Amino acid sequence: MKKLYILVLPALLSTFSCSNQSKEETSENNTEVVEETTSEEVEIEGFKTIEKLAASVVKSLKERDYDSYYSHIMTKEMEMSQAEKIQDSTIRKEFLHEYGFSLHEEQEYFDNLLHFFDTKNIDLDKVVMADLVYTEYKGGEYHPLELYEVIVPIEMDYEIPIDFTVIKVDGKYYLTSELGV
């Protein structure tokens, strides 16, 4: 019987080793695929109207599509170029402080918002785009920039809005990374 173990054990170890190696290679390949589809490579897309941007944001939330959501956020370069337009250095500093967002945290915010919708049983199919409202953000404090707070209502037993701020850059609207409820 000992001879059988001696002959079978190396074969089992070899099979186990190959199996682990295959899993590691698969894992490495999967990691590469994930890395290839990170949000850093998503093309940033602006919209001609706030309504179209809002509809696309809601669609991204409904579909739980972070890359689609991320594609609406102004880039750091846009943020800096817009900040340069503000003449008053104190207000420019406030703008950069408020919108000096960390894109690496956006995935977490997006996931937390989806979790909130799930735990509160908020049905995104009850979004009422026709009742979308937007107003100049902080009364134009960051003039000459065009920033708007957008409120998209969700009709349920109680009304809960999706709330975000958009900025107009070169004739198109982008999110400012300020999505919430």
Side-chain angles (χ1 to χ4, degrees), residues 19 29 31 40 108 111 141 168 170 176:
S19 174
N29 290 342
T31 301
E40 293 172 3
E108 184 178 346
D111 292 341
E141 180 179 318
K168 189 173 187 180
D170 297 329
T176 61

Side-chain angles (χ1 to χ4, degrees), residues 16 23 29 31 50 62 67 71 76 80-81 88 102-103 107 121 124 133 135-136 139 157 162 164 172 175 177-178:
F16 180 74
K23 285 180 185 175
N29 290 342
T31 301
I50 293 173
K62 279 183 184 180
D67 284 344
S71 73
K76 187 71 172 170
M80 297 308 291
S81 71
D88 185 298
S102 300
L103 290 177
Q107 177 77 53
N121 295 319
L124 291 174
V133 176
T135 58
E136 192 171 24
D157 293 340
I162 299 172
F164 52 89
K172 292 186 177 183
L175 285 173
S177 185
E178 291 286 319

Side-chain angles (χ1 to χ4, degrees), residues 81-172:
S81 71
Q82 294 307 297
E84 289 174 12
K85 294 179 180 180
I86 300 172
Q87 298 299 315
D88 185 298
S89 63
T90 303
I91 298 201
R92 182 181 325 112
K93 196 178 214 179
E94 287 174 18
F95 172 80
L96 288 170
H97 176 72
E98 184 167 0
Y99 292 104
F101 53 82
S102 300
L103 290 177
H104 67 275
E105 296 174 349
E106 275 308 298
Q107 177 77 53
E108 184 178 346
Y109 294 142
F110 183 82
D111 292 341
N112 288 342
L113 189 57
L114 292 178
H115 178 72
F116 174 78
F117 290 152
D118 291 344
T119 58
K120 300 293 183 186
N121 295 319
I122 296 171
D123 184 356
L124 291 174
D125 288 328
K126 295 188 179 192
V127 165
V128 185
M129 289 304 296
D131 292 343
L132 174 139
V133 176
Y134 57 92
T135 58
E136 192 171 24
Y137 185 74
K138 289 191 173 182
E141 180 179 318
Y142 296 127
H143 181 73
L145 306 184
E146 288 187 49
L147 288 154
Y148 299 92
E149 181 176 12
V150 180
I151 299 171
V152 183
I154 304 170
E155 283 188 7
M156 299 191 52
D157 293 340
Y158 53 93
E159 188 174 296
I160 186 163
I162 299 172
D163 182 16
F164 52 89
T165 307
V166 300
I167 188 168
K168 189 173 187 180
V169 179
D170 297 329
K172 292 186 177 183

Side-chain angles (χ1 to χ4, degrees), residues 51-84:
E51 293 81 3
K52 287 182 180 181
L53 173 59
S56 189
V57 167
V58 170
K59 181 180 178 195
S60 297
L61 289 167
K62 279 183 184 180
E63 295 176 354
R64 299 175 171 271
D65 184 349
Y66 177 71
D67 284 344
S68 174
Y69 162 75
Y70 184 92
S71 73
H72 306 330
I73 300 173
M74 75 171 166
T75 64
K76 187 71 172 170
E77 291 78 18
M78 286 179 192
E79 175 190 356
M80 297 308 291
S81 71
Q82 294 307 297
E84 289 174 12

